[in-house]
PDB file of all heavy atoms in Angstrom:
ATOM      1  N   ASP A 147     -69.586  14.248 -71.903  1.00  0.00           N
ATOM      2  CA  ASP A 147     -69.793  15.296 -72.895  1.00  0.00           C
ATOM      3  C   ASP A 147     -68.602  16.214 -73.086  1.00  0.00           C
ATOM      4  O   ASP A 147     -68.760  17.326 -73.557  1.00  0.00           O
ATOM      5  CB  ASP A 147     -71.005  16.152 -72.488  1.00  0.00           C
ATOM      6  CG  ASP A 147     -72.266  15.325 -72.419  1.00  0.00           C
ATOM      7  OD1 ASP A 147     -72.530  14.606 -73.387  1.00  0.00           O
ATOM      8  OD2 ASP A 147     -72.965  15.399 -71.406  1.00  0.00           O
ATOM      9  N   GLY A 148     -67.414  15.781 -72.720  1.00  0.00           N
ATOM     10  CA  GLY A 148     -66.230  16.620 -72.873  1.00  0.00           C
ATOM     11  C   GLY A 148     -66.042  17.038 -74.323  1.00  0.00           C
ATOM     12  O   GLY A 148     -66.454  16.339 -75.242  1.00  0.00           O
ATOM     13  N   PRO A 149     -65.405  18.172 -74.529  1.00  0.00           N
ATOM     14  CA  PRO A 149     -65.273  18.715 -75.875  1.00  0.00           C
ATOM     15  C   PRO A 149     -64.325  17.927 -76.763  1.00  0.00           C
ATOM     16  O   PRO A 149     -64.319  18.099 -77.967  1.00  0.00           O
ATOM     17  CB  PRO A 149     -64.723  20.122 -75.633  1.00  0.00           C
ATOM     18  CG  PRO A 149     -64.018  20.011 -74.329  1.00  0.00           C
ATOM     19  CD  PRO A 149     -64.812  19.025 -73.521  1.00  0.00           C
ATOM     20  N   CYS A 150     -63.523  17.024 -76.186  1.00  0.00           N
ATOM     21  CA  CYS A 150     -62.511  16.345 -76.986  1.00  0.00           C
ATOM     22  C   CYS A 150     -62.887  14.921 -77.338  1.00  0.00           C
ATOM     23  O   CYS A 150     -62.110  14.218 -77.961  1.00  0.00           O
ATOM     24  CB  CYS A 150     -61.179  16.356 -76.248  1.00  0.00           C
ATOM     25  SG  CYS A 150     -61.251  15.451 -74.695  1.00  0.00           S
ATOM     26  N   CYS A 151     -64.054  14.447 -76.940  1.00  0.00           N
ATOM     27  CA  CYS A 151     -64.318  13.036 -77.152  1.00  0.00           C
ATOM     28  C   CYS A 151     -65.816  12.758 -77.272  1.00  0.00           C
ATOM     29  O   CYS A 151     -66.639  13.570 -76.947  1.00  0.00           O
ATOM     30  CB  CYS A 151     -63.748  12.232 -75.992  1.00  0.00           C
ATOM     31  SG  CYS A 151     -64.396  12.713 -74.376  1.00  0.00           S
ATOM     32  N   HIS A 152     -66.103  11.582 -77.774  1.00  0.00           N
ATOM     33  CA  HIS A 152     -67.458  11.060 -77.719  1.00  0.00           C
ATOM     34  C   HIS A 152     -67.366   9.577 -77.438  1.00  0.00           C
ATOM     35  O   HIS A 152     -66.338   8.951 -77.655  1.00  0.00           O
ATOM     36  CB  HIS A 152     -68.221  11.343 -79.013  1.00  0.00           C
ATOM     37  CG  HIS A 152     -67.744  10.544 -80.180  1.00  0.00           C
ATOM     38  ND1 HIS A 152     -66.653  10.936 -80.928  1.00  0.00           N
ATOM     39  CD2 HIS A 152     -68.181   9.386 -80.702  1.00  0.00           C
ATOM     40  CE1 HIS A 152     -66.446  10.051 -81.882  1.00  0.00           C
ATOM     41  NE2 HIS A 152     -67.347   9.097 -81.769  1.00  0.00           N
ATOM     42  N   TYR A 153     -68.457   8.987 -76.948  1.00  0.00           N
ATOM     43  CA  TYR A 153     -68.433   7.578 -76.593  1.00  0.00           C
ATOM     44  C   TYR A 153     -68.444   6.703 -77.830  1.00  0.00           C
ATOM     45  O   TYR A 153     -69.263   6.862 -78.719  1.00  0.00           O
ATOM     46  CB  TYR A 153     -69.654   7.229 -75.736  1.00  0.00           C
ATOM     47  CG  TYR A 153     -69.441   7.555 -74.298  1.00  0.00           C
ATOM     48  CD1 TYR A 153     -69.835   8.762 -73.769  1.00  0.00           C
ATOM     49  CD2 TYR A 153     -68.788   6.661 -73.469  1.00  0.00           C
ATOM     50  CE1 TYR A 153     -69.622   9.065 -72.450  1.00  0.00           C
ATOM     51  CE2 TYR A 153     -68.566   6.949 -72.142  1.00  0.00           C
ATOM     52  CZ  TYR A 153     -68.989   8.151 -71.640  1.00  0.00           C
ATOM     53  OH  TYR A 153     -68.763   8.451 -70.332  1.00  0.00           O
ATOM     54  N   ALA A 154     -67.518   5.756 -77.871  1.00  0.00           N
ATOM     55  CA  ALA A 154     -67.518   4.749 -78.917  1.00  0.00           C
ATOM     56  C   ALA A 154     -68.288   3.531 -78.427  1.00  0.00           C
ATOM     57  O   ALA A 154     -68.950   2.863 -79.207  1.00  0.00           O
ATOM     58  CB  ALA A 154     -66.089   4.359 -79.269  1.00  0.00           C
ATOM     59  N   ASP A 155     -68.201   3.202 -77.164  1.00  0.00           N
ATOM     60  CA  ASP A 155     -69.005   2.168 -76.525  1.00  0.00           C
ATOM     61  C   ASP A 155     -68.987   2.436 -75.036  1.00  0.00           C
ATOM     62  O   ASP A 155     -68.484   3.448 -74.590  1.00  0.00           O
ATOM     63  CB  ASP A 155     -68.538   0.750 -76.894  1.00  0.00           C
ATOM     64  CG  ASP A 155     -67.119   0.441 -76.431  1.00  0.00           C
ATOM     65  OD1 ASP A 155     -66.690   0.959 -75.377  1.00  0.00           O
ATOM     66  OD2 ASP A 155     -66.448  -0.320 -77.134  1.00  0.00           O
ATOM     67  N   GLU A 156     -69.542   1.505 -74.249  1.00  0.00           N
ATOM     68  CA  GLU A 156     -69.711   1.730 -72.826  1.00  0.00           C
ATOM     69  C   GLU A 156     -68.412   2.000 -72.071  1.00  0.00           C
ATOM     70  O   GLU A 156     -68.377   2.753 -71.131  1.00  0.00           O
ATOM     71  CB  GLU A 156     -70.364   0.493 -72.206  1.00  0.00           C
ATOM     72  CG  GLU A 156     -71.672   0.800 -71.598  1.00  0.00           C
ATOM     73  CD  GLU A 156     -72.242  -0.449 -70.964  1.00  0.00           C
ATOM     74  OE1 GLU A 156     -71.874  -1.584 -71.295  1.00  0.00           O
ATOM     75  OE2 GLU A 156     -73.083  -0.245 -70.102  1.00  0.00           O
ATOM     76  N   ASP A 157     -67.328   1.338 -72.463  1.00  0.00           N
ATOM     77  CA  ASP A 157     -66.105   1.445 -71.678  1.00  0.00           C
ATOM     78  C   ASP A 157     -64.955   2.104 -72.425  1.00  0.00           C
ATOM     79  O   ASP A 157     -63.807   2.001 -72.042  1.00  0.00           O
ATOM     80  CB  ASP A 157     -65.665   0.072 -71.174  1.00  0.00           C
ATOM     81  CG  ASP A 157     -65.397  -0.899 -72.311  1.00  0.00           C
ATOM     82  OD1 ASP A 157     -65.627  -0.524 -73.472  1.00  0.00           O
ATOM     83  OD2 ASP A 157     -64.946  -2.020 -72.026  1.00  0.00           O
ATOM     84  N   ALA A 158     -65.249   2.774 -73.496  1.00  0.00           N
ATOM     85  CA  ALA A 158     -64.177   3.433 -74.247  1.00  0.00           C
ATOM     86  C   ALA A 158     -64.691   4.723 -74.848  1.00  0.00           C
ATOM     87  O   ALA A 158     -65.871   4.890 -75.081  1.00  0.00           O
ATOM     88  CB  ALA A 158     -63.666   2.517 -75.360  1.00  0.00           C
ATOM     89  N   ILE A 159     -63.794   5.641 -75.065  1.00  0.00           N
ATOM     90  CA  ILE A 159     -64.125   6.857 -75.794  1.00  0.00           C
ATOM     91  C   ILE A 159     -63.252   6.892 -77.029  1.00  0.00           C
ATOM     92  O   ILE A 159     -62.210   6.249 -77.089  1.00  0.00           O
ATOM     93  CB  ILE A 159     -63.902   8.133 -74.953  1.00  0.00           C
ATOM     94  CG1 ILE A 159     -62.447   8.249 -74.508  1.00  0.00           C
ATOM     95  CG2 ILE A 159     -64.852   8.201 -73.789  1.00  0.00           C
ATOM     96  CD1 ILE A 159     -62.109   9.587 -73.904  1.00  0.00           C
ATOM     97  N   GLU A 160     -63.671   7.621 -78.023  1.00  0.00           N
ATOM     98  CA  GLU A 160     -62.886   7.745 -79.242  1.00  0.00           C
ATOM     99  C   GLU A 160     -62.503   9.203 -79.429  1.00  0.00           C
ATOM    100  O   GLU A 160     -63.341  10.029 -79.758  1.00  0.00           O
ATOM    101  CB  GLU A 160     -63.691   7.271 -80.440  1.00  0.00           C
ATOM    102  CG  GLU A 160     -62.902   7.343 -81.725  1.00  0.00           C
ATOM    103  CD  GLU A 160     -63.685   6.798 -82.901  1.00  0.00           C
ATOM    104  OE1 GLU A 160     -64.630   6.036 -82.707  1.00  0.00           O
ATOM    105  OE2 GLU A 160     -63.327   7.174 -84.016  1.00  0.00           O
ATOM    106  N   PRO A 161     -61.234   9.535 -79.197  1.00  0.00           N
ATOM    107  CA  PRO A 161     -60.826  10.914 -79.449  1.00  0.00           C
ATOM    108  C   PRO A 161     -60.991  11.241 -80.924  1.00  0.00           C
ATOM    109  O   PRO A 161     -60.572  10.479 -81.790  1.00  0.00           O
ATOM    110  CB  PRO A 161     -59.355  10.928 -79.034  1.00  0.00           C
ATOM    111  CG  PRO A 161     -59.219   9.767 -78.098  1.00  0.00           C
ATOM    112  CD  PRO A 161     -60.182   8.736 -78.610  1.00  0.00           C
ATOM    113  N   LEU A 162     -61.612  12.338 -81.209  1.00  0.00           N
ATOM    114  CA  LEU A 162     -61.918  12.705 -82.585  1.00  0.00           C
ATOM    115  C   LEU A 162     -60.662  12.988 -83.391  1.00  0.00           C
ATOM    116  O   LEU A 162     -60.652  12.852 -84.594  1.00  0.00           O
ATOM    117  CB  LEU A 162     -62.828  13.932 -82.591  1.00  0.00           C
ATOM    118  CG  LEU A 162     -64.178  13.737 -81.920  1.00  0.00           C
ATOM    119  CD1 LEU A 162     -64.933  15.056 -81.878  1.00  0.00           C
ATOM    120  CD2 LEU A 162     -64.985  12.690 -82.654  1.00  0.00           C
ATOM    121  N   TRP A 163     -59.588  13.414 -82.728  1.00  0.00           N
ATOM    122  CA  TRP A 163     -58.413  13.815 -83.471  1.00  0.00           C
ATOM    123  C   TRP A 163     -57.515  12.652 -83.878  1.00  0.00           C
ATOM    124  O   TRP A 163     -56.635  12.812 -84.671  1.00  0.00           O
ATOM    125  CB  TRP A 163     -57.610  14.857 -82.719  1.00  0.00           C
ATOM    126  CG  TRP A 163     -57.052  14.347 -81.428  1.00  0.00           C
ATOM    127  CD1 TRP A 163     -55.860  13.724 -81.247  1.00  0.00           C
ATOM    128  CD2 TRP A 163     -57.655  14.413 -80.150  1.00  0.00           C
ATOM    129  NE1 TRP A 163     -55.684  13.384 -79.934  1.00  0.00           N
ATOM    130  CE2 TRP A 163     -56.774  13.810 -79.238  1.00  0.00           C
ATOM    131  CE3 TRP A 163     -58.865  14.927 -79.675  1.00  0.00           C
ATOM    132  CZ2 TRP A 163     -57.058  13.705 -77.886  1.00  0.00           C
ATOM    133  CZ3 TRP A 163     -59.144  14.830 -78.340  1.00  0.00           C
ATOM    134  CH2 TRP A 163     -58.248  14.231 -77.464  1.00  0.00           C
ATOM    135  N   LYS A 164     -57.709  11.451 -83.349  1.00  0.00           N
ATOM    136  CA  LYS A 164     -56.818  10.347 -83.682  1.00  0.00           C
ATOM    137  C   LYS A 164     -57.552   9.112 -84.166  1.00  0.00           C
ATOM    138  O   LYS A 164     -56.950   8.260 -84.788  1.00  0.00           O
ATOM    139  CB  LYS A 164     -55.974   9.963 -82.475  1.00  0.00           C
ATOM    140  CG  LYS A 164     -54.975  11.018 -82.120  1.00  0.00           C
ATOM    141  CD  LYS A 164     -53.894  10.456 -81.273  1.00  0.00           C
ATOM    142  CE  LYS A 164     -52.930  11.577 -80.949  1.00  0.00           C
ATOM    143  NZ  LYS A 164     -51.652  11.112 -80.560  1.00  0.00           N
TER     144      LYS A 164
END
Side-chain angles (χ1 to χ4, degrees):
D147 299 310
C150 63
C151 58
H152 71 277
Y153 277 93
D155 63 32
E156 241 182 339
D157 60 356
I159 59 169
E160 182 177 339
L162 298 175
W163 64 89
K164 291 199 180 201

